[in-house]
């Protein structure tokens, strides 16, 4: 049974500002994927973002966070 769901939400507003999930489940997942957004969030509130990421991953789950390198020649986000 397919239970995957993509959600677009303000991570700094979670969990109180979280939209309802289609399956009625809670905001705790086996797998959380972040693709190059933490580098932007850290400019706002790195500790708050890290705390929310940690709360989203179920015990024994995984967080895959793809980030860029500060040494890259090309600018890829806010400084």
């Amino acid at each position: 049974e397919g239970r995957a769901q993509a959600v677009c939400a303000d991570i700094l507003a979670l969990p109180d500002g979280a939209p309802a999930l289609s399956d009625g489940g809670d905001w705790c997942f086996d797998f959380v994927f972040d693709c190059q957004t933490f580098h932007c969030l850290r400019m706002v509130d790195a500790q708050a973002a890290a705390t929310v990421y940690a709360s989203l991953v179920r015990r024994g789950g995984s967080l895959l966070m793809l980030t860029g390198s500060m040494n890259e020649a090309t600018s890829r986000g806010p400084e």
Side-chain angles (χ1 to χ4, degrees), residues 24-49:
D26 61 11
W27 277 80
C28 194
F29 304 97
D30 294 323
F31 180 76
V32 174
F33 175 66
D34 174 286
C35 184
Q36 298 190 8
T37 57
F38 185 77
H39 75 282
C40 295
L41 293 171
R42 71 178 174 81
M43 303 297 281
V44 177
D45 190 338
Q47 184 59 52

Side-chain angles (χ1 to χ4, degrees), residues 50-75:
T51 298
V52 172
Y53 279 113
S55 74
L56 294 175
V57 181
R58 182 171 282 120
R59 184 178 202 150
S62 299
L63 167 64
L64 174 58
M65 185 178 289
L66 301 180
T67 60
S69 168
M70 292 178 62
N71 298 322
E72 288 181 13
T74 304
S75 175

